[in-house]
Amino acid sequence: MDLNTDQPITERTNPLSANIDILAPLDIVSTLQACDEEIFNGWRDFQGLFDERIQSNLSKIMEVAVDVLNDADRSVIIFSGCGTSGRLAFITARTFNSHLRHLGITECYQYIMAGGDRALFTSQEAVEDDPLLGAKILKQLSEDKVRVLYFGITCGLSAPFIAGQLDYCLKHLDRFTPVLLGFNPAHLARNMPIEKWDKTFLQVVQRLEEAEAKGQGFILNPVVGPEPITGSSRMKSGTATKLLLEAVLMPAHAKSFMHTKLGIKDYLVQYKQVWESVYSQKSDIAALLHLAGSSLKQGGHLYYIGSGGLGIMGLIDASECSPTYGATLDDVRGFLEGGYQTLANLEGDLSSLGKHFGISLQDFMDQIVPNLTDRDLVIFISKDRPYSIPKEVEVKPCNKACIVVNITKGDSVQSVSTFNSKVTLDLTEVVLDSAALDADLRLRTIDLYAELAVKWTLNAVSTGAHIMKGKVFNNIMIDLKPSNVKLFHRAVGIIQRYSNLAVEVCQDYLLRSLYDTDDVSQEIRSAAMVDHIKIGASKPKVVPTALLAALLRCTIREAKVALDQQPVLRQVILDSMAGQQGNTQ
Ligand code: F6P
């Protein structure tokens, strides 16, 4: 139960998933289905996507987008975000530029990913705390533009990087129309001081509210309920981000270039049909989840292989496993047919940065295939027919699975026995208004639906697999990395939740674990947050160690020994809590 009503909704625990850590695979998927339903049906008194103010803002933003698109040579539409929000900013810009290119119109979409393109695959969370850097990048990107439609995506209404950009927009309302996209009511925006800055996120939101009243800016913040895994905004919030951006821009493109009218609401309703189609396959998804969980539990790996937008969904899903579950960068990896050429990211080929930046099939063949074992699982993602498995992989003892999204009617998917598990997502029954969509837009639309269907499926698989590995306690990710201010405070909150100690004491336990000491010096206590975070980003098991030390009132060394003996974190926590109760009886 949430006792603290001042807590942002995106940081609350979802009662629907309170015991997700002890559920069987099929029940995990059903729980995710119920949590996702809140995106469409709303949460408690909140109307979700269909809220009147949200619908009205969507229409107004669509009109601004049409104006910008009609002056594409001199204007720009920018999406910006951190972590998964930045990755979704990237793929949205990529999608709509591709349509403009097809029409022979200047590509006027840009994305800003906090931490640059390397953050597309590896988390670079410290940058999220820098509002001045955010503003500087936005300024550089927009300087020569007469009109800018800016989308700042921060699911929790909390990222300082985005606050800095919104602030910059608000100072230049003659050229900028800022849109804040997130999933908390405005008054629950983060109201904490930001290092080296003079405003809080909430103060920026309040100025944006004033701008909204004059039609100069917008807050797009439907409440879609807490995440199934507390704070894991890659899940529902990421989904809602993707579908809201598309539901505004597809109609804007239709109006600008096809001269047809497309309903924003119709799009949203169709997304609900996609959600229904995906979860109608929940037994198959559960079987895949089980296979993935078994791999991770045995120390094996999970690999996604796909092409185009579906392959990119794999890259995005994989990228978030490390900060969310303390996974190594090798545990879950995505590979994309055509590598960087297909990705078409701003900074081009990043493979020289290290092995985790190798994303092509060739990289998969060179780096991974020679070492594949029966503990690994390779998931091939494709449209309409199963991916043809390369011979080199076929002969390997690893598990092989496929996700096939059916978008073409009548193209039956033949069963291929090589796969240990198969999920078929049938989108052929999703009703598209053919009067409003020309053939090309229809295909593009269905491709976007396919991406979302794959996102839902992969989120379920990777979340469930980490649950099976024991990385979740109740519905809390207990091995997150405290690698930025938000995550540092979230970590303190987790320690407090289970230990019932005072916040300051919990913070001390976190510092003990970060600095490997039982005696937190004044120097450590007064160090800048950025120093704590630097350590938090690279050190393994900081939060579990701190939590265990707090629960057992033991030294950091003792906590580490206990963790080494029992790698399933939820079991360690359970054992120590049981021990604690025993002691008080
Ligand atoms: O700080 C890391 C992170 O929590 C990622 O997991 C997430 O994708 C990102 O922040 C974005 O958060 P928000 O959209 O709320 O700014």
Side-chain angles (χ1 to χ4, degrees), residues 164-208:
Q165 295 181 338
L166 287 169
D167 180 62
Y168 183 79
C169 296
L170 287 163
K171 286 177 181 153
H172 299 90
L173 286 173
D174 52 327
R175 294 193 298 129
F176 281 80
T177 305
V179 179
L180 166 60
L181 176 51
F183 303 96
N184 284 315
H187 72 279
L188 293 181
R190 179 166 280 234
N191 196 23
M192 272 191 181
I194 295 174
E195 259 180 27
K196 297 189 200 137
W197 213 44
D198 56 348
K199 303 168 192 92
T200 68
F201 203 109
L202 179 65
Q203 286 166 341
V204 175
V205 168
Q206 285 162 346
R207 280 167 52 222
L208 187 55

mmCIF file of all heavy atoms in Angstrom, residues 164-208:
data_model
loop_
_atom_site.group_PDB
_atom_site.id
_atom_site.type_symbol
_atom_site.label_atom_id
_atom_site.label_comp_id
_atom_site.label_asym_id
_atom_site.label_seq_id
_atom_site.Cartn_x
_atom_site.Cartn_y
_atom_site.Cartn_z
ATOM 1 N N GLY A 164 16.617 21.563 -17.827
ATOM 2 C CA GLY A 164 17.451 22.609 -18.425
ATOM 3 C C GLY A 164 16.967 22.965 -19.821
ATOM 4 O O GLY A 164 16.949 24.137 -20.218
ATOM 5 N N GLN A 165 16.552 21.970 -20.567
ATOM 6 C CA GLN A 165 16.084 22.225 -21.935
ATOM 7 C C GLN A 165 14.731 22.938 -21.947
ATOM 8 O O GLN A 165 14.501 23.850 -22.726
ATOM 9 C CB GLN A 165 16.009 20.898 -22.701
ATOM 10 C CG GLN A 165 17.383 20.269 -22.879
ATOM 11 C CD GLN A 165 17.371 18.965 -23.648
ATOM 12 O OE1 GLN A 165 16.352 18.291 -23.732
ATOM 13 N NE2 GLN A 165 18.528 18.590 -24.195
ATOM 14 N N LEU A 166 13.848 22.501 -21.046
ATOM 15 C CA LEU A 166 12.538 23.168 -20.973
ATOM 16 C C LEU A 166 12.725 24.631 -20.591
ATOM 17 O O LEU A 166 12.080 25.534 -21.139
ATOM 18 C CB LEU A 166 11.649 22.473 -19.940
ATOM 19 C CG LEU A 166 11.078 21.107 -20.339
ATOM 20 C CD1 LEU A 166 10.441 20.414 -19.143
ATOM 21 C CD2 LEU A 166 10.051 21.255 -21.480
ATOM 22 N N ASP A 167 13.633 24.860 -19.657
ATOM 23 C CA ASP A 167 13.914 26.216 -19.212
ATOM 24 C C ASP A 167 14.406 27.058 -20.393
ATOM 25 O O ASP A 167 13.987 28.203 -20.584
ATOM 26 C CB ASP A 167 14.981 26.130 -18.104
ATOM 27 C CG ASP A 167 15.363 27.487 -17.561
ATOM 28 O OD1 ASP A 167 14.464 28.152 -17.017
ATOM 29 O OD2 ASP A 167 16.547 27.877 -17.691
ATOM 30 N N TYR A 168 15.271 26.454 -21.203
ATOM 31 C CA TYR A 168 15.783 27.162 -22.393
ATOM 32 C C TYR A 168 14.625 27.496 -23.350
ATOM 33 O O TYR A 168 14.520 28.609 -23.857
ATOM 34 C CB TYR A 168 16.837 26.297 -23.094
ATOM 35 C CG TYR A 168 17.450 26.981 -24.280
ATOM 36 C CD1 TYR A 168 18.449 27.942 -24.117
ATOM 37 C CD2 TYR A 168 17.023 26.685 -25.575
ATOM 38 C CE1 TYR A 168 19.006 28.596 -25.211
ATOM 39 C CE2 TYR A 168 17.570 27.337 -26.679
ATOM 40 C CZ TYR A 168 18.560 28.280 -26.481
ATOM 41 O OH TYR A 168 19.104 28.943 -27.574
ATOM 42 N N CYS A 169 13.744 26.526 -23.563
ATOM 43 C CA CYS A 169 12.585 26.764 -24.443
ATOM 44 C C CYS A 169 11.735 27.923 -23.901
ATOM 45 O O CYS A 169 11.287 28.796 -24.654
ATOM 46 C CB CYS A 169 11.685 25.535 -24.510
ATOM 47 S SG CYS A 169 12.407 24.087 -25.244
ATOM 48 N N LEU A 170 11.508 27.881 -22.586
ATOM 49 C CA LEU A 170 10.626 28.885 -21.982
ATOM 50 C C LEU A 170 11.203 30.296 -22.101
ATOM 51 O O LEU A 170 10.478 31.282 -22.070
ATOM 52 C CB LEU A 170 10.361 28.533 -20.509
ATOM 53 C CG LEU A 170 9.422 27.332 -20.305
ATOM 54 C CD1 LEU A 170 9.532 26.771 -18.890
ATOM 55 C CD2 LEU A 170 7.970 27.709 -20.638
ATOM 56 N N LYS A 171 12.520 30.373 -22.254
ATOM 57 C CA LYS A 171 13.142 31.692 -22.437
ATOM 58 C C LYS A 171 13.081 32.137 -23.904
ATOM 59 O O LYS A 171 13.474 33.240 -24.228
ATOM 60 C CB LYS A 171 14.606 31.618 -21.989
ATOM 61 C CG LYS A 171 14.774 31.554 -20.485
ATOM 62 C CD LYS A 171 16.244 31.398 -20.145
ATOM 63 C CE LYS A 171 16.445 31.309 -18.645
ATOM 64 N NZ LYS A 171 17.658 30.543 -18.318
ATOM 65 N N HIS A 172 12.673 31.223 -24.786
ATOM 66 C CA HIS A 172 12.661 31.555 -26.224
ATOM 67 C C HIS A 172 11.333 31.133 -26.848
ATOM 68 O O HIS A 172 11.313 30.452 -27.882
ATOM 69 C CB HIS A 172 13.828 30.847 -26.933
ATOM 70 C CG HIS A 172 15.167 31.249 -26.411
ATOM 71 N ND1 HIS A 172 15.797 30.614 -25.379
ATOM 72 C CD2 HIS A 172 15.986 32.271 -26.777
ATOM 73 C CE1 HIS A 172 16.952 31.199 -25.122
ATOM 74 N NE2 HIS A 172 17.094 32.209 -25.955
ATOM 75 N N LEU A 173 10.262 31.572 -26.213
ATOM 76 C CA LEU A 173 8.950 31.118 -26.690
ATOM 77 C C LEU A 173 8.572 31.701 -28.050
ATOM 78 O O LEU A 173 7.603 31.267 -28.672
ATOM 79 C CB LEU A 173 7.872 31.433 -25.646
ATOM 80 C CG LEU A 173 7.895 30.519 -24.403
ATOM 81 C CD1 LEU A 173 6.906 30.998 -23.345
ATOM 82 C CD2 LEU A 173 7.608 29.067 -24.781
ATOM 83 N N ASP A 174 9.345 32.683 -28.509
ATOM 84 C CA ASP A 174 9.077 33.212 -29.847
ATOM 85 C C ASP A 174 9.373 32.159 -30.922
ATOM 86 O O ASP A 174 8.765 32.149 -31.982
ATOM 87 C CB ASP A 174 9.932 34.475 -30.092
ATOM 88 C CG ASP A 174 11.411 34.213 -29.798
ATOM 89 O OD1 ASP A 174 11.698 33.407 -28.885
ATOM 90 O OD2 ASP A 174 12.272 34.775 -30.506
ATOM 91 N N ARG A 175 10.307 31.245 -30.632
ATOM 92 C CA ARG A 175 10.663 30.215 -31.624
ATOM 93 C C ARG A 175 10.253 28.813 -31.190
ATOM 94 O O ARG A 175 10.049 27.940 -32.006
ATOM 95 C CB ARG A 175 12.185 30.213 -31.862
ATOM 96 C CG ARG A 175 12.730 31.458 -32.513
ATOM 97 C CD ARG A 175 14.159 31.226 -32.979
ATOM 98 N NE ARG A 175 15.068 30.921 -31.873
ATOM 99 C CZ ARG A 175 15.897 29.887 -31.847
ATOM 100 N NH1 ARG A 175 15.921 29.028 -32.845
ATOM 101 N NH2 ARG A 175 16.704 29.691 -30.824
ATOM 102 N N PHE A 176 10.192 28.616 -29.873
ATOM 103 C CA PHE A 176 9.995 27.255 -29.350
ATOM 104 C C PHE A 176 8.567 26.989 -28.892
ATOM 105 O O PHE A 176 7.952 27.844 -28.263
ATOM 106 C CB PHE A 176 10.893 27.035 -28.124
ATOM 107 C CG PHE A 176 12.320 26.744 -28.461
ATOM 108 C CD1 PHE A 176 13.188 27.778 -28.792
ATOM 109 C CD2 PHE A 176 12.812 25.457 -28.458
ATOM 110 C CE1 PHE A 176 14.509 27.523 -29.104
ATOM 111 C CE2 PHE A 176 14.138 25.178 -28.769
ATOM 112 C CZ PHE A 176 14.989 26.224 -29.089
ATOM 113 N N THR A 177 8.070 25.786 -29.163
ATOM 114 C CA THR A 177 6.880 25.285 -28.478
ATOM 115 C C THR A 177 7.326 24.073 -27.676
ATOM 116 O O THR A 177 7.584 23.004 -28.254
ATOM 117 C CB THR A 177 5.774 24.875 -29.471
ATOM 118 O OG1 THR A 177 5.491 25.981 -30.321
ATOM 119 C CG2 THR A 177 4.503 24.453 -28.734
ATOM 120 N N PRO A 178 7.477 24.224 -26.364
ATOM 121 C CA PRO A 178 7.919 23.075 -25.561
ATOM 122 C C PRO A 178 6.768 22.165 -25.167
ATOM 123 O O PRO A 178 5.683 22.628 -24.832
ATOM 124 C CB PRO A 178 8.515 23.736 -24.305
ATOM 125 C CG PRO A 178 7.864 25.078 -24.217
ATOM 126 C CD PRO A 178 7.397 25.471 -25.599
ATOM 127 N N VAL A 179 7.024 20.874 -25.244
ATOM 128 C CA VAL A 179 6.062 19.881 -24.756
ATOM 129 C C VAL A 179 6.794 19.023 -23.733
ATOM 130 O O VAL A 179 7.857 18.467 -24.036
ATOM 131 C CB VAL A 179 5.553 18.963 -25.900
ATOM 132 C CG1 VAL A 179 4.577 17.921 -25.358
ATOM 133 C CG2 VAL A 179 4.924 19.775 -27.016
ATOM 134 N N LEU A 180 6.246 18.924 -22.556
ATOM 135 C CA LEU A 180 6.810 18.025 -21.547
ATOM 136 C C LEU A 180 5.990 16.741 -21.575
ATOM 137 O O LEU A 180 4.769 16.769 -21.385
ATOM 138 C CB LEU A 180 6.736 18.684 -20.157
ATOM 139 C CG LEU A 180 6.971 17.745 -18.959
ATOM 140 C CD1 LEU A 180 8.336 17.093 -19.011
ATOM 141 C CD2 LEU A 180 6.809 18.524 -17.642
ATOM 142 N N LEU A 181 6.662 15.636 -21.834
ATOM 143 C CA LEU A 181 5.974 14.345 -21.878
ATOM 144 C C LEU A 181 6.419 13.499 -20.690
ATOM 145 O O LEU A 181 7.614 13.219 -20.524
ATOM 146 C CB LEU A 181 6.315 13.645 -23.201
ATOM 147 C CG LEU A 181 5.773 12.238 -23.437
ATOM 148 C CD1 LEU A 181 4.275 12.153 -23.198
ATOM 149 C CD2 LEU A 181 6.082 11.787 -24.864
ATOM 150 N N GLY A 182 5.455 13.146 -19.831
ATOM 151 C CA GLY A 182 5.776 12.338 -18.646
ATOM 152 C C GLY A 182 4.488 11.808 -18.038
ATOM 153 O O GLY A 182 3.397 12.033 -18.582
ATOM 154 N N PHE A 183 4.597 11.127 -16.907
ATOM 155 C CA PHE A 183 3.430 10.370 -16.443
ATOM 156 C C PHE A 183 3.069 10.591 -14.973
ATOM 157 O O PHE A 183 2.566 9.685 -14.306
ATOM 158 C CB PHE A 183 3.640 8.889 -16.801
ATOM 159 C CG PHE A 183 3.856 8.743 -18.278
ATOM 160 C CD1 PHE A 183 5.145 8.675 -18.809
ATOM 161 C CD2 PHE A 183 2.780 8.783 -19.148
ATOM 162 C CE1 PHE A 183 5.345 8.614 -20.176
ATOM 163 C CE2 PHE A 183 2.975 8.724 -20.525
ATOM 164 C CZ PHE A 183 4.258 8.642 -21.042
ATOM 165 N N ASN A 184 3.317 11.804 -14.512
ATOM 166 C CA ASN A 184 2.864 12.194 -13.170
ATOM 167 C C ASN A 184 2.026 13.455 -13.282
ATOM 168 O O ASN A 184 2.241 14.260 -14.193
ATOM 169 C CB ASN A 184 4.080 12.510 -12.274
ATOM 170 C CG ASN A 184 4.774 11.252 -11.815
ATOM 171 O OD1 ASN A 184 4.114 10.304 -11.393
ATOM 172 N ND2 ASN A 184 6.099 11.229 -11.897
ATOM 173 N N PRO A 185 1.116 13.675 -12.333
ATOM 174 C CA PRO A 185 0.440 14.967 -12.306
ATOM 175 C C PRO A 185 1.496 16.064 -12.103
ATOM 176 O O PRO A 185 2.524 15.809 -11.443
ATOM 177 C CB PRO A 185 -0.465 14.866 -11.071
ATOM 178 C CG PRO A 185 -0.511 13.420 -10.714
ATOM 179 C CD PRO A 185 0.710 12.780 -11.249
ATOM 180 N N ALA A 186 1.241 17.236 -12.661
ATOM 181 C CA ALA A 186 2.267 18.289 -12.653
ATOM 182 C C ALA A 186 2.778 18.602 -11.236
ATOM 183 O O ALA A 186 3.978 18.812 -11.034
ATOM 184 C CB ALA A 186 1.695 19.545 -13.298
ATOM 185 N N HIS A 187 1.867 18.593 -10.238
ATOM 186 C CA HIS A 187 2.301 19.001 -8.900
ATOM 187 C C HIS A 187 3.246 17.974 -8.252
ATOM 188 O O HIS A 187 3.882 18.255 -7.249
ATOM 189 C CB HIS A 187 1.093 19.280 -7.988
ATOM 190 C CG HIS A 187 0.358 18.043 -7.570
ATOM 191 N ND1 HIS A 187 -0.566 17.414 -8.384
ATOM 192 C CD2 HIS A 187 0.435 17.303 -6.447
ATOM 193 C CE1 HIS A 187 -1.024 16.341 -7.760
ATOM 194 N NE2 HIS A 187 -0.439 16.251 -6.583
ATOM 195 N N LEU A 188 3.330 16.774 -8.855
ATOM 196 C CA LEU A 188 4.246 15.766 -8.307
ATOM 197 C C LEU A 188 5.589 15.738 -9.054
ATOM 198 O O LEU A 188 6.397 14.826 -8.866
ATOM 199 C CB LEU A 188 3.606 14.372 -8.338
ATOM 200 C CG LEU A 188 2.405 14.179 -7.399
ATOM 201 C CD1 LEU A 188 1.854 12.768 -7.492
ATOM 202 C CD2 LEU A 188 2.777 14.506 -5.946
ATOM 203 N N ALA A 189 5.825 16.773 -9.864
ATOM 204 C CA ALA A 189 7.149 16.886 -10.492
ATOM 205 C C ALA A 189 8.185 17.023 -9.382
ATOM 206 O O ALA A 189 7.888 17.540 -8.300
ATOM 207 C CB ALA A 189 7.193 18.100 -11.411
ATOM 208 N N ARG A 190 9.417 16.593 -9.668
ATOM 209 C CA ARG A 190 10.453 16.553 -8.622
ATOM 210 C C ARG A 190 10.755 17.965 -8.097
ATOM 211 O O ARG A 190 10.977 18.896 -8.869
ATOM 212 C CB ARG A 190 11.722 15.944 -9.199
ATOM 213 C CG ARG A 190 12.852 15.879 -8.215
ATOM 214 C CD ARG A 190 13.921 14.976 -8.770
ATOM 215 N NE ARG A 190 13.528 13.605 -8.525
ATOM 216 C CZ ARG A 190 14.300 12.720 -7.890
ATOM 217 N NH1 ARG A 190 15.479 13.061 -7.461
ATOM 218 N NH2 ARG A 190 13.880 11.502 -7.689
ATOM 219 N N ASN A 191 10.725 18.085 -6.773
ATOM 220 C CA ASN A 191 10.956 19.411 -6.178
ATOM 221 C C ASN A 191 12.220 19.407 -5.327
ATOM 222 O O ASN A 191 12.238 19.954 -4.233
ATOM 223 C CB ASN A 191 9.734 19.806 -5.337
ATOM 224 C CG ASN A 191 9.724 21.287 -5.032
ATOM 225 O OD1 ASN A 191 10.350 22.066 -5.762
ATOM 226 N ND2 ASN A 191 9.045 21.673 -3.969
ATOM 227 N N MET A 192 13.259 18.781 -5.848
ATOM 228 C CA MET A 192 14.535 18.703 -5.120
ATOM 229 C C MET A 192 15.525 19.653 -5.755
ATOM 230 O O MET A 192 15.522 19.801 -6.983
ATOM 231 C CB MET A 192 15.106 17.303 -5.249
ATOM 232 C CG MET A 192 14.632 16.369 -4.215
ATOM 233 S SD MET A 192 15.657 14.912 -4.362
ATOM 234 C CE MET A 192 14.910 13.943 -3.102
ATOM 235 N N PRO A 193 16.391 20.242 -4.926
ATOM 236 C CA PRO A 193 17.410 21.116 -5.532
ATOM 237 C C PRO A 193 18.250 20.330 -6.539
ATOM 238 O O PRO A 193 18.481 19.142 -6.362
ATOM 239 C CB PRO A 193 18.279 21.532 -4.339
ATOM 240 C CG PRO A 193 17.579 21.060 -3.121
ATOM 241 C CD PRO A 193 16.517 20.099 -3.488
ATOM 242 N N ILE A 194 18.658 21.027 -7.589
ATOM 243 C CA ILE A 194 19.492 20.401 -8.618
ATOM 244 C C ILE A 194 20.893 20.998 -8.483
ATOM 245 O O ILE A 194 21.027 22.236 -8.433
ATOM 246 C CB ILE A 194 18.905 20.682 -10.021
ATOM 247 C CG1 ILE A 194 17.541 19.988 -10.149
ATOM 248 C CG2 ILE A 194 19.856 20.249 -11.126
ATOM 249 C CD1 ILE A 194 16.762 20.291 -11.414
ATOM 250 N N GLU A 195 21.899 20.128 -8.402
ATOM 251 C CA GLU A 195 23.272 20.609 -8.189
ATOM 252 C C GLU A 195 23.664 21.638 -9.243
ATOM 253 O O GLU A 195 23.417 21.446 -10.435
ATOM 254 C CB GLU A 195 24.263 19.430 -8.208
ATOM 255 C CG GLU A 195 24.665 19.022 -6.799
ATOM 256 C CD GLU A 195 25.654 17.864 -6.759
ATOM 257 O OE1 GLU A 195 26.425 17.675 -7.708
ATOM 258 O OE2 GLU A 195 25.632 17.152 -5.733
ATOM 259 N N LYS A 196 24.263 22.721 -8.811
ATOM 260 C CA LYS A 196 24.765 23.799 -9.680
ATOM 261 C C LYS A 196 23.656 24.430 -10.525
ATOM 262 O O LYS A 196 23.884 24.832 -11.669
ATOM 263 C CB LYS A 196 25.866 23.277 -10.605
ATOM 264 C CG LYS A 196 27.091 22.789 -9.857
ATOM 265 C CD LYS A 196 28.208 22.491 -10.825
ATOM 266 C CE LYS A 196 29.214 21.580 -10.163
ATOM 267 N NZ LYS A 196 29.700 20.513 -10.967
ATOM 268 N N TRP A 197 22.448 24.460 -10.002
ATOM 269 C CA TRP A 197 21.352 25.096 -10.737
ATOM 270 C C TRP A 197 20.450 25.798 -9.729
ATOM 271 O O TRP A 197 20.440 25.427 -8.542
ATOM 272 C CB TRP A 197 20.568 24.047 -11.547
ATOM 273 C CG TRP A 197 20.024 24.580 -12.847
ATOM 274 C CD1 TRP A 197 20.672 25.359 -13.752
ATOM 275 C CD2 TRP A 197 18.711 24.345 -13.377
ATOM 276 N NE1 TRP A 197 19.856 25.605 -14.834
ATOM 277 C CE2 TRP A 197 18.649 24.996 -14.625
ATOM 278 C CE3 TRP A 197 17.581 23.645 -12.945
ATOM 279 C CZ2 TRP A 197 17.505 24.980 -15.441
ATOM 280 C CZ3 TRP A 197 16.458 23.627 -13.765
ATOM 281 C CH2 TRP A 197 16.414 24.282 -14.992
ATOM 282 N N ASP A 198 19.648 26.751 -10.209
ATOM 283 C CA ASP A 198 18.873 27.549 -9.255
ATOM 284 C C ASP A 198 17.382 27.223 -9.281
ATOM 285 O O ASP A 198 16.579 27.939 -8.703
ATOM 286 C CB ASP A 198 19.093 29.045 -9.548
ATOM 287 C CG ASP A 198 18.735 29.389 -10.988
ATOM 288 O OD1 ASP A 198 18.544 28.443 -11.797
ATOM 289 O OD2 ASP A 198 18.631 30.585 -11.313
ATOM 290 N N LYS A 199 16.995 26.147 -9.980
ATOM 291 C CA LYS A 199 15.559 25.833 -10.044
ATOM 292 C C LYS A 199 15.355 24.350 -9.762
ATOM 293 O O LYS A 199 16.259 23.551 -9.943
ATOM 294 C CB LYS A 199 15.006 26.124 -11.442
ATOM 295 C CG LYS A 199 15.218 27.538 -11.892
ATOM 296 C CD LYS A 199 14.933 27.702 -13.366
ATOM 297 C CE LYS A 199 15.428 29.049 -13.854
ATOM 298 N NZ LYS A 199 16.808 29.014 -14.380
ATOM 299 N N THR A 200 14.127 24.025 -9.379
ATOM 300 C CA THR A 200 13.782 22.606 -9.287
ATOM 301 C C THR A 200 12.964 22.254 -10.542
ATOM 302 O O THR A 200 12.482 23.152 -11.251
ATOM 303 C CB THR A 200 12.925 22.290 -8.047
ATOM 304 O OG1 THR A 200 11.641 22.897 -8.225
ATOM 305 C CG2 THR A 200 13.577 22.804 -6.771
ATOM 306 N N PHE A 201 12.776 20.966 -10.754
ATOM 307 C CA PHE A 201 11.963 20.567 -11.908
ATOM 308 C C PHE A 201 10.558 21.134 -11.761
ATOM 309 O O PHE A 201 9.958 21.642 -12.710
ATOM 310 C CB PHE A 201 11.932 19.034 -12.031
ATOM 311 C CG PHE A 201 11.606 18.583 -13.419
ATOM 312 C CD1 PHE A 201 12.575 18.003 -14.229
ATOM 313 C CD2 PHE A 201 10.334 18.765 -13.949
ATOM 314 C CE1 PHE A 201 12.281 17.618 -15.530
ATOM 315 C CE2 PHE A 201 10.033 18.379 -15.251
ATOM 316 C CZ PHE A 201 11.007 17.803 -16.035
ATOM 317 N N LEU A 202 10.034 21.080 -10.529
ATOM 318 C CA LEU A 202 8.671 21.570 -10.298
ATOM 319 C C LEU A 202 8.534 23.044 -10.693
ATOM 320 O O LEU A 202 7.536 23.442 -11.300
ATOM 321 C CB LEU A 202 8.286 21.374 -8.818
ATOM 322 C CG LEU A 202 6.897 21.867 -8.445
ATOM 323 C CD1 LEU A 202 5.811 21.068 -9.159
ATOM 324 C CD2 LEU A 202 6.667 21.777 -6.930
ATOM 325 N N GLN A 203 9.546 23.839 -10.362
ATOM 326 C CA GLN A 203 9.460 25.267 -10.709
ATOM 327 C C GLN A 203 9.398 25.465 -12.229
ATOM 328 O O GLN A 203 8.684 26.328 -12.726
ATOM 329 C CB GLN A 203 10.660 26.013 -10.113
ATOM 330 C CG GLN A 203 10.510 26.191 -8.600
ATOM 331 C CD GLN A 203 11.809 26.607 -7.933
ATOM 332 O OE1 GLN A 203 12.899 26.441 -8.475
ATOM 333 N NE2 GLN A 203 11.695 27.146 -6.725
ATOM 334 N N VAL A 204 10.128 24.640 -12.942
ATOM 335 C CA VAL A 204 10.083 24.734 -14.409
ATOM 336 C C VAL A 204 8.687 24.341 -14.900
ATOM 337 O O VAL A 204 8.103 24.993 -15.770
ATOM 338 C CB VAL A 204 11.166 23.818 -15.045
ATOM 339 C CG1 VAL A 204 11.054 23.812 -16.550
ATOM 340 C CG2 VAL A 204 12.548 24.260 -14.609
ATOM 341 N N VAL A 205 8.134 23.298 -14.292
ATOM 342 C CA VAL A 205 6.794 22.836 -14.688
ATOM 343 C C VAL A 205 5.765 23.941 -14.435
ATOM 344 O O VAL A 205 4.859 24.171 -15.253
ATOM 345 C CB VAL A 205 6.426 21.548 -13.916
ATOM 346 C CG1 VAL A 205 4.951 21.209 -14.075
ATOM 347 C CG2 VAL A 205 7.271 20.384 -14.406
ATOM 348 N N GLN A 206 5.935 24.647 -13.334
ATOM 349 C CA GLN A 206 4.958 25.705 -13.038
ATOM 350 C C GLN A 206 5.000 26.802 -14.101
ATOM 351 O O GLN A 206 3.971 27.343 -14.503
ATOM 352 C CB GLN A 206 5.228 26.261 -11.628
ATOM 353 C CG GLN A 206 4.744 25.281 -10.564
ATOM 354 C CD GLN A 206 5.338 25.506 -9.180
ATOM 355 O OE1 GLN A 206 6.325 26.235 -9.027
ATOM 356 N NE2 GLN A 206 4.756 24.873 -8.179
ATOM 357 N N ARG A 207 6.209 27.106 -14.579
ATOM 358 C CA ARG A 207 6.298 28.100 -15.662
ATOM 359 C C ARG A 207 5.708 27.547 -16.961
ATOM 360 O O ARG A 207 5.084 28.266 -17.730
ATOM 361 C CB ARG A 207 7.753 28.523 -15.866
ATOM 362 C CG ARG A 207 8.159 29.573 -14.816
ATOM 363 C CD ARG A 207 9.645 29.783 -14.760
ATOM 364 N NE ARG A 207 10.252 30.052 -16.045
ATOM 365 C CZ ARG A 207 11.414 29.523 -16.458
ATOM 366 N NH1 ARG A 207 12.066 28.685 -15.689
ATOM 367 N NH2 ARG A 207 11.906 29.835 -17.626
ATOM 368 N N LEU A 208 5.880 26.269 -17.147
ATOM 369 C CA LEU A 208 5.310 25.655 -18.351
ATOM 370 C C LEU A 208 3.777 25.655 -18.272
ATOM 371 O O LEU A 208 3.091 25.828 -19.292
ATOM 372 C CB LEU A 208 5.855 24.224 -18.505
ATOM 373 C CG LEU A 208 5.508 23.484 -19.790
ATOM 374 C CD1 LEU A 208 5.906 24.269 -21.040
ATOM 375 C CD2 LEU A 208 6.199 22.116 -19.834
#
